[in-house]
Amino acid sequence: MAKTLSVPSALALDGGPQTVTAPINDRWERVTDLEKEYVLRVMDNFGDAYAELDLFEQEWREFIGTKHALAMCNGTATIHSAIFAAGAHAGKEVIVPSVTWHASISPILHCGATPVFCDADPETFCADPADVRRKITDRTCAIVITHVYGNPADLDAFREIVDGTDIVLIEDASHAHGATWDGKPVGSFGHIGCFSLQKGKAMTGIEAGVAVTDDDALYDRMLALGQYGRCGKLWSTAEFADLRNMGLGVKYRANPLAIGMVRAQFRRLPEMNEKRRAWFDRLDALLSAIPGVYPQQVYSKAIRGGLIHYAGMFDTEAIGVPVDTLLKALVAEGVQTKTEITPFGYGVMHLEPLFNDYALDNVGGPWKDLPSDSRVRRQRGSLPVSERIHGTAFWIQTPIDPNPEWVEQVGAAFRKVIANADRLAELAPA
């Protein structure tokens, strides 16, 4: 059935009425008395403050359904620990998407290994299993997949890829707290699952993270890397026991005050996910009816969680208007999006200087001795789907429990902007 649009009014850019006038009225408070209660409880128990980590790890491993959970100071530390545990070092390769945040990639360099970028599924924005399969070599030690904006990747396909191999599957679930695949929490499908608990995430300690695994050896390697002062009592195997409580001497241990806040937020996670899913689904329905607008799609077995961003893409060729002009028009209509794409953009991480041929000869540590094939310039066009996502995507502010009228008006703003495509084409820079 063809998509239809109502007759548009004048664009706000042309002096017409702004479409989005309703307040968001998000009734979800990020910090409540519950968070304060949990943090104060840690302070009142100052002498045994680190017990808060034990309590949270028990709760989180029961929630995800894994044998181990390990609280850390941030999500980047969980990715570094996971990639290190997978055996990444000079001469090894880690396959990673370009549609992700740079913290999914930079730890590969920290371990001296080479990032190998894969393309994305054009509908879900997650790593494309077929392209990942093409990128595997005898040097591949790990695959990192990102559940983009809380939208699960095709976990059946990725499990099939690694089953029977020694390749470690790492789920970057930084955005995906409470997301599921086939009824089971994400983070439990890979060999290691990594969650960020940073300020912008669904569950937050302002800065914190947590990794999960069923594998005793991988758990001990993560302990060894970053849990000095704590690892001695937690070893599951004898591999590092002689290092006692020192491990390898790095401290990625979480702040108990942050974990106290996280534990309070954890109790509110189901409510938050339910409320966000409801308005995401409504806006999906509104935008899917507009020609040239394509909300991020969800696999049939997936249920989103965390939902850090509402996102989609424009078919700019069909609409006949460049993305920056469309975004400018939406902002004028009152849609809370951005008129520019961050230089650390999802989709073009493979083009960032750090992951190309940026000279690191004067830098110490593993960076100085990176393999020469990890410092080659990657050309634009090498990951066409990822680059198209980056170049045509939109992101919308993501409240928890918005005013329903606001949601309807956001949908109306998109309809108005696309229906005025001819006028926007005239306004677009030559």
Side-chain angles (χ1 to χ4, degrees), residues 324-336:
D324 55 348
T325 302
L326 291 168
L327 293 173
K328 183 178 179 180
L330 285 168
V331 169
E333 296 297 335
V335 177
Q336 295 188 5

